[in-house]
Amino acid sequence: MARCRRKVSFIDKEGHEHTFEVADGDNLLDIAQSEDLEMEGACGGSCACSTCHVIVEQSTMYDKIPEPDDDENDMLDLAFGLTETSRLGCQVKMSKDLDGLRVRLPSMTRNLQASDFSGSKKS
């Protein structure tokens, strides 16, 4: 049986829209990186940085994405240009409900990671 294909669109920093057919379960970070879009994912998709920050364009689609957990919310607090519909791309997995999702890449990212805040203070 063939895997279901879903459409997802990324709007890059220059305002160009890129639409791809993807499979259920694919996350936005992996999709963006496999399509050579400018999304860093400094922590490798482990929800420990904010460099895969995306802004969901449609609030109706945002509401269909499972709620962010505490780890994701902590990292989103560090994201540049945080909005009401911000998410981490590594935590958004494509599904039937998200077919047609459109996300915008922020104009900048901050590479602050969870490890920057743990351990002893530097003098």
Side-chain angles (χ1 to χ4, degrees), residues 8-70:
V8 62
S9 298
F10 293 84
I11 301 164
D12 66 23
K13 294 172 185 175
E14 289 77 40
H16 302 112
E17 190 164 336
H18 308 269
T19 302
F20 308 105
E21 283 195 5
V22 299
D24 284 351
D26 289 351
N27 75 55
L28 298 182
L29 173 61
D30 291 343
I31 295 164
Q33 289 183 336
S34 71
E35 298 294 343
D36 292 325
L37 295 179
E38 196 175 330
M39 188 184 293
E40 184 177 353
C43 71
S46 64
C47 198
C49 75
S50 63
T51 60
C52 66
H53 171 220
V54 297
I55 300 161
V56 179
E57 287 284 287
Q58 320 101 303
S59 60
T60 52
M61 282 292 199
Y62 179 85
D63 292 339
K64 294 178 182 181
I65 302 170
E67 290 280 319
D69 63 18
D70 290 343

